[in-house]
Amino acid sequence: MDLKALHKKHVLTPWVAQAALNPPLVVRGEGVWLYDQEGHRYLDFSAGLVAVNLGHAHPRLVRAIAEQAGRLAYAPPSFFHDGRALLAQALSHLSPWPEGGRVFFTPSGTEANEDALKFVRHLTGRPKVLAAYRSFHGATHAAASLTGENRRWPAEPGVPGVVHFFAPYPYRSPFHTEDPKEETRRALDHLERVLLHEDPGRVAAIFLEPVVGSNGVIVYPEGYLQGVRALCDRHGILLVFDEVMTGFGRLGAAFGGERFGVVPDLITFAKGVTSAYVPLGGVLLREGLAQRFDEVPLPTGHTYAGHPLAVAAGLAALRAYQEEGIFPRVRAMEGFFREVLGDLAARHPLVGEVRGLGAFFGLELVRDRKDKEPLSPWHGPVSPPMQALQRALLQEGVYLMAKHNILLVAPPLTIREEEFLEGVERLSRALRRVEVEVLG
């Protein structure tokens, strides 16, 4: 049976997957490797969609899911459940708030952002929210409205009250400066001007990824997130960190905000909480905010909120992160990742910049380093050279998530140094092939 043909015939596939150009049909995973139906293996160099933090087939997670399925596979969210209570307690302990927090579980990160949007409006009584242009917060209607790039367009007209602003992007500064300090100053001035034109007293929250995810792995220059926090405090605006990609060790900490010493009011999460073994997301609210819902009805609900199999996977993942020392391991390996990728960039003129933190790096690909012309245009069709690179990567046996001219190097946090070096060498061979076509 031709399963790939069957898949193409009967499964509606997102255009992002179609752009990967005849991807393999994977049937098995182990550690950092994926295997197709013919036995070929592919290094999962982006941990799926920056999600499989503990690698594939981790025995602790596999066992926990199987054991939970044998006890109880579903319980209504309106019932109390042991796994929900224990995972929520563990997440409260991981939160950055001395007072602790409470969790509302969702089936995904998209729904977490949808619910966070409801929460901030109910908590403040204000109708507007701000989000950055270079951002992704989900594909459903309200989450897509929060999103700042072209994945928002099919959902338009979106939900009312969402206003976008430009955030720092040092490599391609929207504020016309090459000085990181000036970038921060001008970006904060721009944000304050937007607030003043929208009336800060009508703004409920600002949504931000602590490090921009699929839109380029952009690390904000020093002082920016601190400045956003100060603006929020000045105007009584809630700060929401979308930690769907950056949470659970991806930046070498439980949550990415810790790397910058900035504490939000709400945190949305998904992906790494279960290492993507079972879909699970949620909204963490600091206790002082969560108490409001002791007095008024919670304005949301999902059939699969806190699904027993998902929370079992979440508990097992958190134990693995702790007992295997994953978060400090990522911090310790960050310099190694940066050095190896820096050496790669020095060898390949298509790589305009390498940036990132922890085990989360982006390679920005350009036709020319001087004028920084993207290898594939933003908000446009995937260019032939980028298509060729994606083909070459799969032929070299490596999977990398791509967004326009950005490659996301974000392997499972369990990757060994020799596996990382092998992945970079395969990436290097793929880049060399395309450089011959593009640069001659």
Side-chain angles (χ1 to χ4, degrees):
M1 181 184 297
D2 188 342
L3 292 174
K4 288 182 73 171
L6 197 67
H7 197 285
K8 290 178 182 178
K9 181 177 180 180
H10 295 289
V11 179
L12 280 172
T13 304
W15 68 269
V16 175
Q18 293 173 4
L21 304 174
N22 196 30
L25 191 149
V26 293
V27 296
R28 184 170 69 87
E30 183 177 355
V32 299
W33 298 97
L34 293 166
Y35 296 81
D36 68 14
Q37 60 182 346
E38 297 173 348
H40 300 130
R41 70 176 191 168
Y42 303 83
L43 184 61
D44 188 357
F45 223 26
S46 293
L49 297 181
V50 192
V52 190
N53 287 7
L54 291 168
H56 299 277
H58 192 292
R60 183 191 292 272
L61 273 72
V62 172
R63 185 169 56 252
I65 295 166
E67 290 176 354
Q68 181 61 51
R71 288 195 305 273
L72 178 68
Y74 180 77
S78 55
F79 281 22
F80 293 151
H81 177 257
D82 56 348
R84 289 181 197 135
L86 292 170
L87 181 57
Q89 179 190 46
L91 291 169
S92 176
H93 290 164
L94 278 179
S95 78
W97 308 299
E99 63 187 298
R102 298 192 210 177
V103 183
F104 177 76
F105 289 114
T106 68
S108 72
T110 290
E111 286 144 315
N113 282 316
E114 292 256 352
D115 288 321
L117 178 57
K118 292 181 190 176
F119 292 160
V120 298
R121 284 174 165 168
H122 277 261
L123 288 164
T124 64
R126 300 176 178 184
K128 296 184 182 182
V129 294
L130 270 60
Y133 269 113
R134 193 171 287 271
S135 68
F136 181 71
H137 296 289
T140 54
H141 199 63
S145 296
L146 287 170
T147 290
E149 37 98 327
N150 62 332
R151 283 175 283 186
R152 178 185 78 250
W153 300 347
E156 290 178 330
V159 300
V162 177
V163 178
H164 289 97
F165 61 93
F166 289 100
Y169 182 7
Y171 186 70
R172 299 182 184 277
S173 172
F175 305 105
H176 311 290
T177 178
E178 296 182 358
D179 181 348
K181 291 183 178 179
E182 188 65 16
E183 178 89 354
T184 292
R185 190 191 68 77
R186 294 182 185 182
L188 290 172
D189 179 69
H190 161 73
L191 178 55
E192 187 155 27
R193 286 172 182 264
V194 171
L195 280 171
L196 290 174
H197 281 287
E198 295 296 335
D199 181 4
R202 294 172 56 80
V203 175
I206 295 176
F207 281 70
L208 273 177
E209 300 162 278
V211 169
V212 176
S214 57
N215 280 274
V217 193
I218 300 165
V219 181
Y220 292 130
E222 184 178 354
Y224 179 70
L225 290 175
Q226 292 86 345
V228 174
R229 175 75 269 182
L231 272 175
C232 288
D233 291 341
R234 188 182 315 152
H235 297 293
I237 295 169
L238 298 175
L239 179 59
V240 183
F241 275 175
D242 179 340
E243 297 257 17
V244 171
M245 279 192 177
T246 54
F248 303 100
R250 180 55 55 187
L251 301 187
F255 294 108
E258 294 180 32
R259 290 297 306 264
F260 306 97
V262 178
V263 178
D265 299 294
L266 296 88
I267 294 170
T268 60
F269 65 88
K271 295 184 185 282
V273 67
T274 65
S275 190
Y277 279 45
V278 181
L280 181 68
V283 186
L284 257 172
L285 297 85
R286 58 179 173 84
E287 178 62 21
L289 293 175
Q291 288 174 358
R292 173 70 183 278
F293 297 115
D294 293 335
E295 304 167 1
V296 300
L298 192 71
T300 189
H302 305 287
T303 298
Y304 299 114
H307 192 284
L309 299 186
V311 295
L315 283 167
L318 293 192
R319 292 190 189 107
Y321 290 135
Q322 181 179 15
E323 294 178 13
E324 296 175 24
I326 296 296
F327 300 168
R329 180 181 190 271
V330 171
R331 288 290 288 272
M333 292 186 71
E334 179 181 307
F336 166 74
F337 296 146
R338 193 185 309 279
E339 180 181 358
V340 172
L341 292 172
D343 290 343
L344 173 81
R347 302 198 308 268
H348 292 282
L350 283 184
V351 181
E353 184 178 55
V354 174
R355 53 180 178 260
L357 285 177
F360 196 23
F361 284 85
L363 274 59
E364 177 142 1
L365 305 181
V366 295
R367 293 176 181 270
D368 184 274
R369 285 180 175 171
K370 290 183 179 179
D371 63 21
K372 300 181 181 179
E373 180 188 353
L375 187 64
S376 191
W378 277 81
H379 306 317
V382 181
S383 69
M386 199 67 188
Q387 292 178 1
L389 178 59
Q390 291 181 42
R391 285 195 297 269
L393 285 166
L394 290 176
Q395 289 164 3
E396 292 292 346
V398 62
Y399 160 71
L400 272 170
M401 182 180 175
K403 173 69 173 175
H404 299 308
N405 70 321
I406 308 293
L407 294 178
L408 276 69
V409 180
L413 308 183
T414 54
I415 195 168
R416 301 192 303 271
E417 287 189 1
E418 59 269 26
E419 291 170 328
F420 190 83
L421 290 170
E422 182 175 350
V424 170
E425 181 54 37
R426 294 179 183 218
L427 169 57
S428 178
R429 291 198 296 265
L431 285 168
R432 196 172 300 122
R433 286 201 224 176
V434 177
E435 283 167 349
V436 170
E437 298 177 19
V438 175
L439 304 176

